[in-house]
Amino acid sequence: MTYEYREMSAAEVDDFLSAPRYAVVGTNRRGPPQLTPVWYLWDEGTFYMSIFVDSAKYRNLARDPRLGLCISGDNPDARAVMIYGVARIISGSDAPTEDIRWRLVRRYFNDDAEARRWLAELPDGARSALVAVTPERVVSHDFN
């Protein structure tokens, strides 16, 4: 089998990112970068993720908002998209923020009931913040 490297078009990147894949986010800490798998929502050129405010990711981004994300197609899909940018932490629970958060969670479940059940089972007092990233650089690989 022969593999050929090429970059994906913008439309192919949008299509690739629309699937409910996992992203690995790299945040800057003292020492090596912290890498964490996260759920995400790609919406009209903005990457969203929801993180707990008591997490290392949150503290890292509050101190240094630069980050990198890697979304892999997983075997045998030999595609990947890397996004580099600056995080904007969105706090509060206004309607647009809650709509984005719901769409982000919902895409990883088969139906609304499963998504609601997962949200209801979060620990009491677990507070999260929405993070928005408008990419400064997008790198795509397609080895299919």
Side-chain angles (χ1 to χ4, degrees), residues 9-28:
S9 69
E12 288 172 317
V13 167
D14 283 340
D15 184 60
F16 178 81
L17 294 176
S18 69
R21 306 173 192 280
Y22 292 95
V24 175
V25 61
T27 58
N28 296 308

Side-chain angles (χ1 to χ4, degrees), residues 21-27 34-40 47-52 55 57 68-72 74 104 108 118:
R21 306 173 192 280
Y22 292 95
V24 175
V25 61
T27 58
Q34 177 177 341
L35 303 173
T36 311
V38 296
W39 289 350
Y40 71 89
F47 186 96
Y48 295 97
M49 63 183 164
S50 183
I51 61 174
F52 291 113
S55 69
K57 283 186 302 298
L69 297 148
C70 179
I71 303 92
S72 170
D74 296 325
L104 189 160
Y108 289 90
W118 183 85

Side-chain angles (χ1 to χ4, degrees), residues 13-25 37-51 67 69 71 83 88 90 95-109 129-135:
V13 167
D14 283 340
D15 184 60
F16 178 81
L17 294 176
S18 69
R21 306 173 192 280
Y22 292 95
V24 175
V25 61
V38 296
W39 289 350
Y40 71 89
L41 174 67
W42 175 251
D43 187 51
E44 297 184 20
T46 301
F47 186 96
Y48 295 97
M49 63 183 164
S50 183
I51 61 174
L67 58 70
L69 297 148
I71 303 92
I83 295 173
R88 183 171 40 92
I90 305 168
T97 300
E98 289 307 310
D99 175 63
I100 291 169
R101 191 182 324 267
W102 168 250
R103 290 188 300 133
L104 189 160
V105 169
R106 174 60 184 90
R107 67 188 296 229
Y108 289 90
F109 292 93
L130 196 62
V131 175
V133 179
T134 302

